[in-house]
Amino acid sequence: MKPIAVLLITAALSLSGQDAAFGVRVHGLQPMGDLKDLTNNQVGLGAAVFISIPHSGGLVLRPVLGMQYIPQGNTTGLPGTKTAVTSVDLMLDLLWFPNEDPDHGPYLVGSVGGQQWRLTANGTAPSTQSATRLGLGGGLGYQLSPRLGVEARGFWSPVEQNLKATGLIIGATLRF
């Protein structure tokens, strides 16, 4: 995770002479697949801070530090066990605005980076697992104004050999 952090900080500093803006994102998270089974389909919440760095041709780089939390839910196949899931993410988003105006209009977003996952089970089969893994994501967004945007995105991360973290995130961004 440290090499990724150094890369993101270097990228942010080298491009900071451009019109960079700090921002925050808040979002809801709907787990799918393995996460859905672990938490009994509990809806999660998340937040992130980012630096938005405009580039040429409608491209925007956005280093992101975020976290997600999915509350305890009954684990499928393990009666009496409840599992909660958290993650801390260090990602790099690439936004592409087809109209080349990063202050207004639709955009595509792709993400790559590292995610630190923690799964905590309580009850009849208690356990705690942690893993740092590659995280990928992508989706659509719409910049409503120079400060406010909305996004819908999917995510994927291989937490363990037989456990993939997947889901859908819907949120809002605010640039300062």
Side-chain angles (χ1 to χ4, degrees), residues 95-155:
L95 286 66
W96 175 62
F97 290 81
N99 64 357
E100 297 189 8
D101 181 3
D103 289 335
H104 297 92
Y107 60 89
L108 297 175
V109 60
S111 301
V112 65
Q115 294 184 297
Q116 172 67 46
W117 292 95
R118 183 174 177 90
L119 292 80
T120 307
N122 295 314
T124 57
S127 68
T128 300
Q129 299 171 309
S130 293
T132 302
R133 299 289 186 255
L134 170 72
L136 300 173
L140 304 168
Y142 195 88
Q143 195 65 37
L144 301 167
S145 71
R147 299 185 83 188
L148 184 63
V150 293
E151 293 181 352
R153 56 173 48 206
F155 67 91

